């Protein structure tokens, strides 16, 4: 088996030189899915995984725009249309200086499995730019978004490809992108998700990824006979996912001890309660400031510059910032300090070595493609509401989100059984694969 997997990965590597993040994502899937393919005749001999690792289409374009000093700036724009076997391409846009082809291909590949797990009819895609919204004025962000959409609009559409937000793309950016799409196409359609509620957005969409992560965590804990109540929870990041994961943990009786950004982390031993979290939300999403400023308002808390929060003792860890932010040494710390459950809010935040450390020590571990699928699931619900021209209530959307997270947990449980333990990585990879592979086989060699 090892030889088959190694041969496959060598073939993929040959075609995708200098794409370490993409190879990391493919390797994890191949290790779980190839043995399953070999055991199941309908998939064997169809080169199905080789087809899945090749994007259906990659769009790569120049984005020129003028900054506040009247200087012309040039960025790169991308859209990876990875797989449309079960529905139109769906996945976020990321604006961050670290964006490149490898990062977006890994995200698009993971998105295919994630969207399949939601049970909604969505294919997988991802896009973005190396543009950094941090430190830019609203006008600069608007001019960039307009220029970006002036090329992207011809490749997307409500039945073709429906982008959403991701790192660096929140409500403000979605607004500018949507405005430009509407102007160019002269039509008001649900071409983007994460829209404002008064212009086609869904209630609970901003909260959905973070809430979904915590609903998934609840299911995992329930499964071992416990709950989030009185659990100490360490969270990284302080953006969209981290903020609403923290909100839901607090609502369910857990204590949130940390939050972070790329400057370092804050540790509040007394716990970050709802009032303190409101302050963080204002600090990060309105003032667009640094998490370090938290300690000016709450001086009993400590700030650790340039560090990640995994050294803080906890019961549950929720990495919600970015890829490869939790390394083997961090996993060792978490295990040593008694952490029983790690649930990814970000995409691929744990390195393969960290995941192996959790597995070896029987720490429950959920990969982002399962546990953070709540965001895209509610995006799918936003698409449904746009098609119906109807808005569901907050309670309706939240209850659908809860059900979807519970179903994803069930799928991981079904496919991830291993010696009396649930291997959520294997479960998510195989469950996500089956639906897409079946659709691809039914649609012939295309
Ligand atoms: P935001 O832009 O709202 O927040 C990102 C957070 O992560 C910020 O606190 C940011 O800090 C921090 N961060 C970014 N890059 C780094 C880095 N290199 N090192 C340390 N910290 C970093 O993004 P989201 O919350 O939306 O996304 C977070 C993660 O969740 C991403 O992996 C994303 O792909 C994933 N995700 C998001 C979904 C969504 O619905 N938004 C859905 C599913 C997954 P700083 O402010 O300093 O940059």
């Amino acid at each position: 088996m090892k030889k088959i997997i190694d041969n496959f990965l060598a073939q993929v590597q040959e075609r995708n030189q200098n794409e370490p993040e993409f190879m990391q994502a493919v390797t994890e899937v191949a290790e779980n899915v190839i043995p399953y393919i070999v055991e199941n005749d309908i998939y064997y001999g169809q080169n199905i995984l080789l087809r899945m690792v090749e994007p259906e289409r990659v769009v790569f374009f120049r984005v020129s725009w003028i900054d506040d000093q009247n200087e012309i700036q040039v960025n790169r724009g991308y859209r990876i249309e990875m797989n449309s076997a079960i529905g139109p391409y769906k996945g976020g846009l990321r604006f961050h200086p670290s964006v490149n082809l490898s990062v977006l291909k890994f995200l698009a590949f993971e998105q295919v499995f994630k969207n399949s797990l939601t049970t909604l009819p969505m294919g997988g895609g991802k896009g973005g730019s190396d543009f950094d919204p941090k430190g830019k004025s609203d006008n600069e962000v608007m001019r960039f978004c307009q220029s970006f959409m002036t090329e992207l609009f011809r490749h997307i559409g409500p039945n073709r490809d429906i982008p959403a937000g991701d790192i660096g793309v929140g409500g403000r950016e979605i607004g500018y992108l949507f405005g430009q799409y509407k102007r160019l196409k002269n039509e008001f359609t649900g071409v983007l998700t994460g829209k404002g509620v008064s212009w086609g957005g869904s209630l609970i969409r901003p909260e959905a990824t973070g809430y979904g992560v915590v609903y998934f965590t609840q299911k995992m804990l329930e499964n071992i006979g416990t709950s989030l109540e009185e659990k100490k929870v360490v969270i990284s990041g302080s953006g969209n996912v981290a903020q609403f994961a923290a909100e839901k943990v607090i609502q369910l009786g857990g204590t949130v001890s940390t939050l972070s950004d790329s400057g370092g982390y804050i540790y509040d031993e007394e716990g970050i309660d709802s009032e303190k979290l409101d302050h963080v939300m204002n600090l990060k999403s309105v003032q667009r400031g640094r998490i370090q400023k938290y300690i000016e308002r709450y001086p009993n808390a400590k700030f650790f510059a340039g560090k990640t929060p995994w050294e803080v003792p906890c019961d549950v860890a929720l990495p919600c910032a970015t890829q490869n932010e939790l390394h083997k040494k961090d996993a060792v710390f978490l295990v040593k300090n008694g952490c029983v459950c790690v649930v990814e809010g970000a995409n691929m935040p744990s390195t393969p070595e960290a995941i192996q450390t959790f597995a070896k020590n029987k720490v429950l571990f959920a990969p982002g493609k399962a546990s953070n699928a709540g965001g895209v699931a509610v995006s799918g619900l936003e698409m449904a509401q746009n098609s119906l021209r109807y808005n569901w209530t907050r309670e309706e959307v939240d209850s659908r989100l809860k059900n979807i997270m519970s179903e994803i947990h069930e799928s991981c449980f079904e496919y991830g059984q291993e010696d009396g333990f649930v291997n959520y990585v294997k479960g998510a990879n195989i469950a996500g694969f089956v639906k897409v592979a079946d659709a691809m086989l039914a649609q012939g060699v295309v």
Side-chain angles (χ1 to χ4, degrees), residues 119-403:
T119 69
L120 301 174
M122 300 181 289
K126 200 85 190 187
S129 172
D130 58 357
F131 172 75
D132 187 1
K134 235 181 278 163
K136 304 287 190 304
S137 70
D138 284 354
N139 276 334
E140 287 178 319
V141 172
M142 181 179 73
R143 285 196 292 274
F144 172 80
C145 288
Q146 290 177 341
S147 180
F148 183 85
M149 186 51 87
T150 301
E151 173 56 33
L152 187 68
F153 90 99
R154 68 191 87 245
H155 308 289
I156 62 176
N159 294 312
R160 182 185 298 172
D161 184 351
I162 307 96
D166 190 69
I167 291 180
V169 180
R172 173 183 61 170
E173 290 77 13
I174 292 291
Y176 296 148
L177 291 163
F178 184 77
Q180 184 71 351
Y181 181 88
K182 186 163 64 66
R183 181 157 70 158
L184 291 164
K185 293 285 281 191
N186 192 24
E187 54 186 40
F188 193 112
T189 52
V191 67
L192 290 160
T193 56
K195 301 186 289 297
V197 175
S198 62
W199 41 281
S202 173
L203 290 162
I204 303 276
R205 176 60 189 91
E207 295 90 337
T209 307
Y211 279 16
V213 169
V214 179
Y215 292 150
F216 199 91
T217 308
Q218 254 185 322
K219 283 278 155 199
M220 292 168 83
L221 292 176
E222 240 173 70
N223 209 35
I224 56 161
T226 182
S227 77
L228 264 168
E229 214 166 326
E230 295 186 9
K231 294 283 184 307
K232 197 165 166 188
V233 182
V234 158
I235 300 180
S236 66
S238 51
N240 174 267
V241 179
Q243 290 175 11
F244 290 105
E247 183 169 280
K248 190 50 78 179
V249 169
I250 297 166
Q251 282 172 15
L252 295 176
T255 302
V256 176
S257 307
T258 67
L259 288 168
S260 72
D261 65 16
S262 49
Y265 78 90
I266 52 123
Y267 175 34
D268 190 333
E269 214 176 340
E270 295 159 6
I272 300 168
D273 60 19
S274 308
E275 187 209 306
K276 293 173 178 176
L277 185 62
D278 281 349
H279 174 67
V280 171
M281 288 181 174
N282 184 278
L283 177 66
K284 292 302 291 185
S285 305
V286 181
Q287 299 174 39
R288 299 187 189 276
R290 312 304 304 154
I291 197 72
Q292 179 171 10
K293 289 193 82 180
Y294 181 92
I295 58 167
E296 290 175 15
R297 176 77 169 261
Y298 303 107
N300 287 345
K302 292 192 181 77
F303 175 68
F304 297 87
K307 298 189 89 179
T308 49
W310 316 123
E311 57 196 12
V312 174
C314 64
D315 303 301
V316 174
L318 307 178
C320 297
T322 192
Q323 65 270 8
N324 292 330
E325 55 159 318
L326 197 164
H327 298 264
K328 182 174 180 179
K329 68 171 178 21
D330 305 314
V332 170
F333 259 123
L334 286 167
V335 170
K336 200 178 88 196
N337 285 334
C339 177
V340 293
C341 180
V342 179
V343 185
E344 294 188 332
N347 286 311
M348 211 169 76
S350 316
T351 63
E353 297 75 23
I355 298 173
Q356 279 158 20
T357 304
F358 295 138
K360 216 161 52 191
N361 290 281
K362 298 271 184 252
V363 171
L364 289 175
F365 172 81
K369 61 170 79 87
S371 47
N372 73 25
V376 74
V378 173
S379 277
L381 301 180
E382 182 173 331
M383 288 159 65
Q385 292 170 82
N386 290 164
S387 300
L388 292 168
R389 303 211 185 284
Y390 187 74
N391 291 334
W392 292 322
T393 63
R394 213 181 146 78
E395 291 68 31
E396 274 174 305
V397 180
D398 196 31
S399 129
R400 283 172 202 261
L401 168 64
K402 244 185 235 164
N403 281 340

Side-chain angles (χ1 to χ4, degrees), residues 33-51:
V33 165
I34 290 178
Y36 184 78
I37 292 175
V38 171
E39 280 164 18
N40 287 276
D41 288 349
I42 54 162
Y43 305 118
Y44 192 68
Q46 304 282 345
N47 270 350
I48 196 80
L49 200 55
L50 200 60
R51 289 194 259 162

